[in-house]
């Protein structure tokens, strides 16, 4: 990896994409389905858990400040690190495949119905491959611009929809068991925070103003959470939980209610830019993480690295056709546990690295 | 140069395989859905764009909505475009017997679900979409009709498709439909919004007339202002009500409907002299009594016919979930056991330009 210099704000804007990408259009429907009217409560509990998890991720990032992910694990675990790095990269790759495929199914089902899915998938894979190959500096520049655009779009959507919110729809506040709320909170926390691990694509020393990083880190996590929280709450407030649960993309259905000056409608087609930007940024980061970690771990030459990258792209195209069925219900609800277990594994890697590092230093 | 080639290539394939010329599209603006003998009978009002814009009406039949629309596509020899749908009009038979017509509109991704739902009696169903064919079409006319009614009279109430789904999915609230009729005036047929129609669990039709419609809209916060004529001493006066706010409260097993409004006298023929505070208070009291009596009439219609179009059950479910098992029992059977109290507070803010 060439010696790229990145600023704190740029890297933090990437965190916003990484945190939000799993939710818009993907796991929001699961969260609404499992915690129903208690969704706001489960999101808040999930956010508290997220802060704890994000603290560990930040500590992991700060461990051996001049090393990136694979170098960190190699320094701490030596040869055993391969048993941690390779499964982690497999998890990241799976996350990449999940995000890109879910974006494909969304665009295919809502906009390009006649177009074969594989054409859309190829376009998205090629785009993310191109961005990932440009390196983290380019990705952070894109994500900084995306952050500004997404905040503007979000504020416009939120204030357009706010007059339609019926606060009675939030009652009764708790209409599911405590178990459902807690499970939903934990799932939210992991999906929201674990993707941040991908910032370890660089070492902390590559950040030019690293003393500001802490502040921006937590600030962007907070911004991402506020946007998700307000989006889901607005959906419940407008549609009601029973109507929201009818749809595969309840947030998108809510956006269809935006109408300006009684003649400007279909503005949801602009609003989904927010989702697309997040997913492209997050999936490009994950792919770039896989590429650079593989190169560093196995000390690959540029030529071999390019071949492996292309192979990974082909695998990313082939796997969805075997694993994911053409059924949005399965993708929304049944596949929650497989990615969740991979996220738990990644978290365990972070924790045992921190413990081992502490023990080694002591 | 490489980037330019990529950009141009991307733009060329941006539309995928979904590109259709607008001239090859049939834009459906309104639909009447009838159901009989296990078949759907759909009358569709379409907008065709060839050399000029034309409004046409087609009737199709099928076992499902999809089949009817496929037939429509064959008849017009074009692809269907349903995103511009403004109204769907239902007959009694459809509402009573075939509620799953909604599935098509919920499931189809091209359906924006931002259209409105109306009811029409069987005697008008053949005319309603044919009336304004030579103009902008009945569907757009109905949309303007409802907007105008809402702004000036508030005797009818708009029912959007998503509101309809919401009311069907939520506990303790039943949907009611604005009613379309065709009236003949001086040899010309016009579409007219008259009454509001509901169907209870026994599939009996319940009618709220235009006067009831105003008070229904008042208690469900569907209007901000309206005018009502109130009798006093064999004469009457007209009061314009604005800033109408209704709130509910469920306390000690009594359901309170609290209406607060401001009023301005538009015309006055009663004998009380208006230049004293007591007279204004008396007028206010007459207004309160009148509104309260009419709201009580609406409540009686709801209770006696076992149809909760006010949403009393829905409010109680949200604020006192343990009071009634909405999941397993029929709330409408419990409606007559609820004590309902109506409180009206009207503040006369102006008696107009005259002082007496």
């Amino acid at each position: 990896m060439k010696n790229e210099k990145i600023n704190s704000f740029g890297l933090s804007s990437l965190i916003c994409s990484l945190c939000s990408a799993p939710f818009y259009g993907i796991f929001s429907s699961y969260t609404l389905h499992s915690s129903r009217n208690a969704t706001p409560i489960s999101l808040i509990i999930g956010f508290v858990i997220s802060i704890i998890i994000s603290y560990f991720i930040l500590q992991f990032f700060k461990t051996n400040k001049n090393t990136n992910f694979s170098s960190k694990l190699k320094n701490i675990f030596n040869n055993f690190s391969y048993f941690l790095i390779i499964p982690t990269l497999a998890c990241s790759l799976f996350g990449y495949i999940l995000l890109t495929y879910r974006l494909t199914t969304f665009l295919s089902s809502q906009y390009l119905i006649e177009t074969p899915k594989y054409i859309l998938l190829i376009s998205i894979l090629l785009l993310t491959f191109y961005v990932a190959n440009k390196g983290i500096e380019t990705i952070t520049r894109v994500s900084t611009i995306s952050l500004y655009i997404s905040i503007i779009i979000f504020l416009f959507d939120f204030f357009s929809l706010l007059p339609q919110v019926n606060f009675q729809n939030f009652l009764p506040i708790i209409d599911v068991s405590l178990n459902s709320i807690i499970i939903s909170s934990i799932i939210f926390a992991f999906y929201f925070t674990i993707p941040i691990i991908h910032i370890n694509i660089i070492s902390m020393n590559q950040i030019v103003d690293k003393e500001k990083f802490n502040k921006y880190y937590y600030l962007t996590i907070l911004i991402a959470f506020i946007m998700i929280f307000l989006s889901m709450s607005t959906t419940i407030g407008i549609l009601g939980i029973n109507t929201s649960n009818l749809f595969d993309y309840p947030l998108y259905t809510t956006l269809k209610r935006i109408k300006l000056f009684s003649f400007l409608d279909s503005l949801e087609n602009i609003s989904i830019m927010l989702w697309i930007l997040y997913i492209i940024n997050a999936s490009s980061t994950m792919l770039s993480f896989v590429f650079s970690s593989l190169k560093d771990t196995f000390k690959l030459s540029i030529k071999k690295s390019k071949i492996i990258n292309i192979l990974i792209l082909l695998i990313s195209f082939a796997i969805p056709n075997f694993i994911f069925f053409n059924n949005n219900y399965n993708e929304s609800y049944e596949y929650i546990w497989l990615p969740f277990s991979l996220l738990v594994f990644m978290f365990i890697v972070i924790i045992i690295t921190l413990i081992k590092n502490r023990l080694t230093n002591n | 140069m490489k980037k330019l080639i990529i950009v141009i290539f991307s733009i060329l394939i941006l539309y995928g395989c979904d590109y259709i010329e607008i001239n090859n599209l049939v834009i459906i603006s309104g639909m009447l859905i009838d159901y009989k003998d296990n078949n759907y009978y759909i009358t569709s009002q379409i907008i065709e764009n060839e050399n000029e814009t034309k409004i046409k009406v087609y009737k199709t039949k099928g076992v499902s909505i999809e089949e009817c629309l496929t037939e429509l596509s064959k008849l017009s020899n074009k692809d269907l475009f349903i995103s511009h749908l403004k109204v769907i009009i239902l007959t009694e038979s459809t509402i009573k017997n075939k509620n799953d017509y909604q599935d098509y509109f919920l499931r189809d991704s091209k359906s924006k679900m931002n259209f409105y739902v109306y009811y029409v009696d069987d005697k008008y169903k053949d005319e309603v979409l044919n009336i304004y064919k030579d103009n902008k079409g009945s569907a757009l006319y109905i949309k303007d009709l409802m907007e105008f009614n809402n702004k000036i009279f508030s005797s009818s109430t708009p029912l959007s498709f998503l509101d309809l789904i919401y009311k069907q999915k939520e506990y303790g609230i039943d949907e009611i439909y604005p009613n379309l009729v065709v009236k003949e005036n001086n040899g010309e047929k016009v579409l007219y919004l008259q009454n509001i129609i509901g169907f209870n669990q026994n599939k009996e039709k319940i009618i709220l007339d235009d006067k009831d419609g105003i008070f229904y809209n008042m208690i469900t916060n569907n209007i901000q202002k309206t005018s009502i004529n109130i009798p006093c001493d064999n004469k009457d006066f007209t009061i314009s009500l604005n800033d109408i706010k209704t709130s509910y409260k469920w306390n000690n097993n009594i359901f309170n409907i609290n209406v607060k409004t401001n009023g301005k006298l538009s015309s006055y023929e009663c004998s009380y002299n208006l230049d004293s505070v007591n007279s204004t208070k008396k007028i206010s009291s007459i207004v309160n009594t009148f509104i309260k009596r009419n709201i009580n009439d609406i409540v009686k219609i709801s209770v006696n016919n076992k149809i909760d179009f006010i949403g009393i059950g829905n409010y109680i479910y949200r604020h006192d979930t343990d009071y009634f098992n909405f999941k397993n029992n029929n709330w409408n059977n419990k409606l007559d056991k609820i004590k309902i109290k109506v409180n009206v507070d009207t503040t006369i803010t102006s008696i107009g330009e005259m002082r007496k």
Side-chain angles (χ1 to χ4, degrees), chain B residues 41-184:
Chain B
Y41 293 83
I42 293 185
T43 309
S44 308
Q45 183 183 284
I46 61 171
I47 304 170
E48 273 189 354
N49 292 292
E50 289 214 23
N51 299 325
E52 49 173 4
T53 305
K54 268 191 262 181
I55 308 286
K56 288 184 182 174
V57 177
Y58 286 106
K59 280 190 184 177
T60 50
K61 174 187 158 184
V63 293
S64 66
I65 307 254
E66 176 72 39
E67 199 175 298
C68 293
L69 294 179
T70 308
E71 180 66 22
L72 175 65
S73 184
K74 282 186 202 167
L75 280 171
S76 55
N77 202 27
K78 290 180 188 193
D79 259 301
L80 294 177
F81 185 72
I82 204 168
S83 304
H84 194 65
L85 187 62
K86 297 290 176 206
V87 302
I88 64 169
I89 304 165
L90 308 171
T91 60
E92 191 166 327
S93 174
T94 313
I95 294 173
K96 280 184 182 178
N97 302 317
K98 201 68 178 168
N99 241 349
D100 44 353
Y101 68 89
Q102 300 152 356
D103 187 272
Y104 175 82
F105 299 102
L106 286 168
R107 211 174 282 279
D108 192 316
S109 59
K110 292 240 164 86
S111 163
K112 295 235 175 275
M113 295 180 280
N114 57 358
F115 49 86
Y116 287 82
V117 183
Y118 295 83
Y119 166 84
V120 76
D121 200 80
D122 282 350
K123 59 186 177 204
Y124 302 119
K125 67 181 181 190
D126 292 326
E127 296 175 83
V128 81
L129 283 178
N130 279 303
I131 286 184
Y132 297 102
K133 241 164 66 174
D134 299 326
N135 213 319
K136 60 179 174 177
S138 299
L140 291 175
Y141 182 85
I142 292 166
K143 179 178 161 287
D144 294 341
L145 191 64
M146 179 55 86
E147 275 171 19
F148 185 68
N149 182 290
N150 234 19
K151 214 162 86 174
I152 308 293
F153 312 108
S154 306
S155 58
S156 192
T157 189
L159 178 67
S160 74
F161 181 69
L162 277 176
D163 283 341
L164 170 65
I165 301 300
Y166 173 88
K167 286 178 180 174
Q168 288 182 347
K169 292 287 167 200
E170 294 296 325
Y171 297 123
I173 188 165
D174 294 309
E175 71 278 12
I176 52 175
Y177 303 81
N179 181 33
L180 279 169
V181 299
V182 177
K183 278 196 169 176
E184 195 155 336

Side-chain angles (χ1 to χ4, degrees), chain A residues 134-241:
Chain A
K134 287 289 169 190
I136 189 66
E137 205 174 321
T138 308
I139 297 174
T140 53
R141 284 195 196 136
V142 170
S143 69
T144 307
I145 299 168
S146 305
L147 181 66
Y148 291 125
I149 295 172
S150 60
I151 289 174
I152 293 168
I153 292 175
F154 171 77
L155 288 173
F156 169 77
D157 290 344
F158 178 68
F159 287 110
S160 303
L161 289 170
L162 191 58
Q164 298 183 45
V165 170
N166 178 2
F167 291 97
Q168 296 287 326
N169 282 338
F170 293 106
L171 302 172
I173 294 175
I174 298 176
D175 59 347
V176 289
S177 63
L178 191 61
N179 268 353
S180 294
I181 297 174
I182 292 173
I183 290 171
S184 192
S185 308
I186 294 170
I187 289 176
F188 169 80
F190 275 79
Y191 276 110
F192 185 67
T193 355
I194 300 297
I196 302 176
I197 195 178
H198 296 95
I199 60 172
N200 288 282
I201 191 174
I202 58 164
S203 63
M204 190 151 187
N205 282 348
Q206 282 177 265
I207 303 176
V208 293
D209 51 351
K210 48 182 167 293
E211 64 283 353
K212 292 184 190 169
F213 182 68
N214 267 22
K215 180 177 77 175
Y216 286 131
Y217 178 81
Y218 288 112
L219 180 66
T220 44
I221 290 175
L222 181 65
I223 290 172
F225 172 73
I226 289 172
M227 286 164 70
I228 293 171
F229 179 82
L230 290 177
S231 302
M232 308 255 261
S233 303
T234 308
T235 301
I236 297 174
I238 290 177
L239 296 180
I241 195 64

Side-chain angles (χ1 to χ4, degrees), chain A residues 109-116 130 168-169 171-172 239-240 242-243 246-247 253 256-257 265-266 268, chain B residues 3 14-18 106 109-114 160 162-163 165-166 169-170 315 317-319 321:
Chain A
S109 66
Q110 301 299 318
Y111 295 103
L112 299 170
I113 298 162
E114 308 295 330
T115 308
Y130 179 77
Q168 296 287 326
N169 282 338
L171 302 172
L239 296 180
N242 292 323
T243 311
L246 288 175
F247 302 109
T253 307
K256 288 183 183 181
R257 303 271 286 211
D265 56 12
S266 297
E268 72 275 7
Chain B
K3 286 175 188 165
L14 211 57
Y15 54 81
C17 305
D18 291 65
L106 286 168
S109 59
K110 292 240 164 86
S111 163
K112 295 235 175 275
M113 295 180 280
N114 57 358
S160 74
L162 277 176
D163 283 341
I165 301 300
Y166 173 88
K169 292 287 167 200
E170 294 296 325
Y315 185 88
Y317 167 72
R318 294 188 186 283
H319 292 85
T321 317

Side-chain angles (χ1 to χ4, degrees), chain B residues 99-328:
Chain B
N99 241 349
D100 44 353
Y101 68 89
Q102 300 152 356
D103 187 272
Y104 175 82
F105 299 102
L106 286 168
R107 211 174 282 279
D108 192 316
S109 59
K110 292 240 164 86
S111 163
K112 295 235 175 275
M113 295 180 280
N114 57 358
F115 49 86
Y116 287 82
V117 183
Y118 295 83
Y119 166 84
V120 76
D121 200 80
D122 282 350
K123 59 186 177 204
Y124 302 119
K125 67 181 181 190
D126 292 326
E127 296 175 83
V128 81
L129 283 178
N130 279 303
I131 286 184
Y132 297 102
K133 241 164 66 174
D134 299 326
N135 213 319
K136 60 179 174 177
S138 299
L140 291 175
Y141 182 85
I142 292 166
K143 179 178 161 287
D144 294 341
L145 191 64
M146 179 55 86
E147 275 171 19
F148 185 68
N149 182 290
N150 234 19
K151 214 162 86 174
I152 308 293
F153 312 108
S154 306
S155 58
S156 192
T157 189
L159 178 67
S160 74
F161 181 69
L162 277 176
D163 283 341
L164 170 65
I165 301 300
Y166 173 88
K167 286 178 180 174
Q168 288 182 347
K169 292 287 167 200
E170 294 296 325
Y171 297 123
I173 188 165
D174 294 309
E175 71 278 12
I176 52 175
Y177 303 81
N179 181 33
L180 279 169
V181 299
V182 177
K183 278 196 169 176
E184 195 155 336
N185 192 306
N186 209 19
E188 197 184 323
K189 285 191 178 176
V190 289
L191 280 175
Y192 194 84
L193 279 168
Q194 185 179 70
N195 304 337
I196 307 175
I197 306 292
F199 293 87
N200 65 9
Q201 59 200 3
N202 299 327
K203 300 189 179 174
E204 292 158 347
K205 197 193 314 189
I206 285 86
I207 301 175
L208 297 177
D209 62 25
D210 287 348
K211 182 182 73 74
D212 294 333
I214 292 174
F215 293 100
Y216 165 77
N217 282 327
M218 213 185 268
I219 57 173
T220 52
N221 284 315
N222 278 334
I223 42 167
Q224 283 292 307
K225 57 180 182 179
T226 188
S227 283
I228 47 176
N229 263 11
I230 299 175
C232 64
D233 320 320
N234 302 324
K235 297 251 172 103
D236 52 26
F237 65 94
T238 309
I239 186 161
S240 298
L241 299 171
N242 50 53
D243 295 330
I244 303 169
K245 284 189 184 70
T246 303
S247 61
Y248 305 140
K249 206 161 177 128
W250 173 242
N251 224 353
N252 300 327
N253 288 352
I254 300 173
F255 189 83
N256 292 286
I257 300 175
N258 304 315
V259 180
K260 244 186 154 163
T261 178
N262 294 331
K264 177 186 163 183
L265 282 179
S266 310
S267 73
Y268 184 76
E269 293 169 11
C270 306
S271 58
Y272 318 117
N273 209 330
L274 287 176
D275 59 3
S276 74
V277 171
N278 286 338
S279 297
T280 319
K281 280 187 183 164
K282 192 169 175 75
I283 295 295
S284 185
S285 166
I286 293 172
V287 171
N288 288 342
T289 309
F290 180 81
I291 294 175
K292 189 171 169 178
R293 191 171 63 237
N294 279 282
I295 292 176
N296 276 323
D297 289 343
I298 305 277
V299 171
K300 267 192 208 130
I301 293 173
S302 170
V303 169
N304 294 343
N305 291 291
K306 293 192 193 318
I307 171 172
D308 190 353
F309 48 73
I310 299 170
I312 294 170
N314 190 255
Y315 185 88
I316 293 172
Y317 167 72
R318 294 188 186 283
H319 292 85
D320 189 3
T321 317
D322 296 330
Y323 175 76
F324 183 77
N325 186 350
F326 285 89
K327 273 188 189 137
N328 300 317

